[in-house]
Structures are given as structure tokens and as C-alpha cells.
């Protein structure tokens, strides 16, 4: 099962995704994986990661960090995986070097599809960006790429949820 959860910043999508992933893990012998994509840049990044670890504490997740090449994550066939999040993953792939990586969109989408084939359940967290208008240069390219990958993931997923103000709505 592949489920996409989307919403704006601080909308409650992560908490909903965590609960959803936990509900999908039905066998005791399988793992519940939190696949973290946020690369810890600076003290603020490290504090944010520590806060997220505390929030997940006691929920049964094993955290794996995979900042790039998401299709290579060490998951097993029976695992239920929560991928948090596509926006970070895309930024990591796009802005690795001085120049924007031209195939970042393809790497992210194909990597997520590969990951989905290797685990039992995949809950994907992504963000809604770009509703406010057009963005210039690399920011605009990032927003367009995230919008494109979100559309592709929405088509690929069996279920899609939009979370607004902490309220999830199933849209597919």
C-alpha cells in the first residue's frame, strides 16, 4: 500500500502520517521505519531533529536517515515505512552542488517508486508549496519540481490525504 499525505507547513500532516503508518503495521515481527530525509545543517537543524525524535519516542519507530538516493534505503519486504519528507529529499538532490542537479526530479520519483516496491507499506509525507504565485530562479525550479513530483506520487499512490488545520481529508 502506498499512501501520500500532503498539506501546508505545520498542518498536522506529519502527526497524521505517523498514526497512519502505525495503524498499517499489523505484524509484530515486522519493522516500523521512520525514513528521515532532513540533513542536519547547523544548530537549528540539529535541534529540530532532536525535537522530532522526542515526538516519535515510544511510538515504535526505528529511524533510518537517508538524505539522497532514497531507493537505496535499507528497508525489508515486510516493513511499514514513513518517508518524511519529499520536500527535503528534493532539496537535497537538487542543491548538492553549485549547479542545480538537472535530474533531481527523476531521481526522487524513481527512488520513491523503487522504495515502494521493496516494502509492504509506504506512507509518504510531502508539502504543498507554490500556491502563492510564481517564484524566480532556483526557488521557482524547486517549487515546480516539487509540484510535479507530488502530482506523479498522487497518481502512483493508492490513497491520498490532504491535511489542513490538523484535519485529514481523503481525496483519493
Amino acid at each position: 500500500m502506498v499512501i501520500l499525505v500532503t498539506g501546508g507547513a505545520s498542518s498536522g500532516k506529519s502527526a497524521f502520517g505517523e498514526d497512519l503508518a502505525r495503524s498499517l503495521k499489523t505484524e509484530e515481527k515486522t519493522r516500523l521505519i521512520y525514513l528521515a530525509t532532513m540533513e542536519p545543517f547547523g544548530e537549528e537543524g540539529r535541534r529540530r531533529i532532536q525535537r522530532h525524535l522526542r515526538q516519535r519516542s515510544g511510538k515504535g519507530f526505528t529511524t533510518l536517515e537517508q538524505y539522497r538516493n532514497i531507493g537505496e534505503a535499507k528497508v525489508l519486504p515486510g516493513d511499514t515505512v514513513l518517508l518524511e519528507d519529499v520536500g527535503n529529499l528534493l532539496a537535497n538532490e537538487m542543491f548538492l552542488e553549485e549547479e542545480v542537479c538537472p535530474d533531481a526530479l527523476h531521481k526522487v520519483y524513481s527512488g520513491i517508486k523503487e522504495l515502494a516496491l521493496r516494502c509492504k507499506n509506504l506512507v509518504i509525507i510531502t508539502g504543498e508549496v507554490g500556491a502563492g504565485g510564481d517564484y524566480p530562479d532556483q526557488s521557482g525550479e524547486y517549487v515546480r519540481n516539487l509540484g510535479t513530483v507530488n502530482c506523479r506520487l498522487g497518481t502512483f499512490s493508492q490513497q491520498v490525504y490532504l491535511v489542513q488545520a490538523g484535519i485529514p481529508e481523503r481525496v483519493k
Side-chain angles (χ1 to χ4, degrees), residues 42-77:
E43 188 57 35
E44 174 58 29
R46 286 187 283 281
R47 278 196 302 269
R48 187 172 175 196
I49 289 170
Q50 288 305 311
R51 181 172 39 99
H52 288 172
L53 287 169
R54 283 190 305 274
Q55 288 171 336
R56 287 192 309 278
S57 179
K59 294 184 178 180
F61 286 97
T62 298
T63 300
L64 299 179
E65 296 177 3
Q66 187 81 29
Y67 310 128
R68 288 172 198 79
N69 303 312
I70 202 70
E72 296 174 6
K74 305 296 184 213
V75 300
L76 303 173

Side-chain angles (χ1 to χ4, degrees), residues 5-13 125-129 150 161-164:
V5 177
T6 188
S10 300
S11 64
K13 63 187 178 289
I125 307 297
T126 192
E128 292 296 317
V129 295
N150 285 349
Y161 290 87
L162 173 63
V163 181
Q164 298 179 92

Side-chain angles (χ1 to χ4, degrees), residues 41-141:
F41 290 114
E43 188 57 35
E44 174 58 29
R46 286 187 283 281
R47 278 196 302 269
R48 187 172 175 196
I49 289 170
Q50 288 305 311
R51 181 172 39 99
H52 288 172
L53 287 169
R54 283 190 305 274
Q55 288 171 336
R56 287 192 309 278
S57 179
K59 294 184 178 180
F61 286 97
T62 298
T63 300
L64 299 179
E65 296 177 3
Q66 187 81 29
Y67 310 128
R68 288 172 198 79
N69 303 312
I70 202 70
E72 296 174 6
K74 305 296 184 213
V75 300
L76 303 173
D79 289 347
T80 293
V81 177
L82 174 67
L83 171 60
E84 174 89 34
D85 84 333
V86 176
N88 285 330
L89 180 61
L90 178 64
N92 296 344
E93 293 287 6
M94 278 185 71
F95 304 114
L96 180 61
E97 304 291 331
E98 290 291 319
E99 297 293 319
V100 172
C101 177
D103 66 339
L105 171 65
H106 174 73
K107 284 181 72 174
V108 168
Y109 179 65
S110 62
I112 292 172
K113 282 179 62 176
E114 185 178 325
L115 179 66
L117 293 173
R118 294 192 2 259
C119 62
K120 182 174 182 179
N121 300 299
L122 177 61
V123 177
I124 305 163
I125 307 297
T126 192
E128 292 296 317
V129 295
D134 195 25
Y135 297 86
D137 306 323
Q138 292 179 346
S139 297
E141 187 173 355

